[in-house]
Amino acid sequence: MAKSKGISVVEAYLVAYNAASFVGWAYVLVKTLLYLSVHGTNLDGLFDSIGSALIIVQTGAALEIVHSLVGFVRSSAMTATLQVYSRLNLVWGILYMFDYPEVRASYGLVLMVLAWCITECVRYSHYALSLFDIEVYTLLYLRYTMFYVLYPAGVTGELLEIWAALPHAAAISSWFWVFLVVNIVNYPPVLYKLYTHMIRQRRKILGGGADSNRVKAAKPVDPVVSKKKKL
């Protein structure tokens, strides 16, 4: 059903943000797939091909913390911070810092990037359309189902990247090495928090039992929905 009034300034901004984020992640995904289709398992030039775009689009995700804090969206600022922090640590603290093949030309990088890209392309496209009250069940279902596989896959890639960076971090500073080790230790509880959060969201939005094949009213429960604050 179309809205009776035009969208607010906040919603227009969120549409632009989500659309731009979708384009950015789709670009990284296409570049990654094209590289792999041409070079196969030779990953020496993968980061050179996607690195700058990956860092830019992931850094832009830091705005999601701001969106939560100022009330543009209903999602938890803590959840957003947990998700964004770990990725910023990966792109700036590891990929940007360490120009070594075990870091920038690894299967961990491929696994991590593909999991991130697929997750975010679905998430941002779903978010942008939902602001127009356009509900595409396929996107909604994928958004709240693919995480079962993509979260563990992405975390595995992230841990492989951190592990590969440990010797190089130790060469810079023992404290840097300790910092990365602490991050590794924190992954299981953080993954559990995010994973169970998504399971709860899936139950609320997709429902269960007789409702599992029918979309529930997504607007009241989907955390992406803005509070329609007028500016």
Side-chain angles (χ1 to χ4, degrees), residues 22-93:
F22 167 77
V23 171
W25 283 108
Y27 175 80
V28 176
L29 177 60
V30 170
K31 290 276 288 184
T32 301
L33 294 176
L34 286 176
Y35 181 92
L36 295 175
S37 68
V38 172
H39 300 282
T41 58
N42 180 6
L43 304 177
D44 291 342
L46 177 59
F47 184 79
D48 291 336
S49 177
I50 67 170
S52 295
L54 176 65
I55 291 174
I56 290 171
V57 71
Q58 182 53 61
T59 302
L63 286 172
E64 295 187 18
I65 301 173
V66 179
H67 297 165
S68 297
L69 290 173
V70 300
F72 284 3
V73 297
R74 296 187 182 127
S75 56
S76 164
M78 177 59 70
T79 300
T81 300
L82 290 175
Q83 292 173 320
V84 172
Y85 161 76
S86 64
R87 291 189 179 188
L88 289 180
N89 181 46
L90 263 297
V91 296
W92 286 109

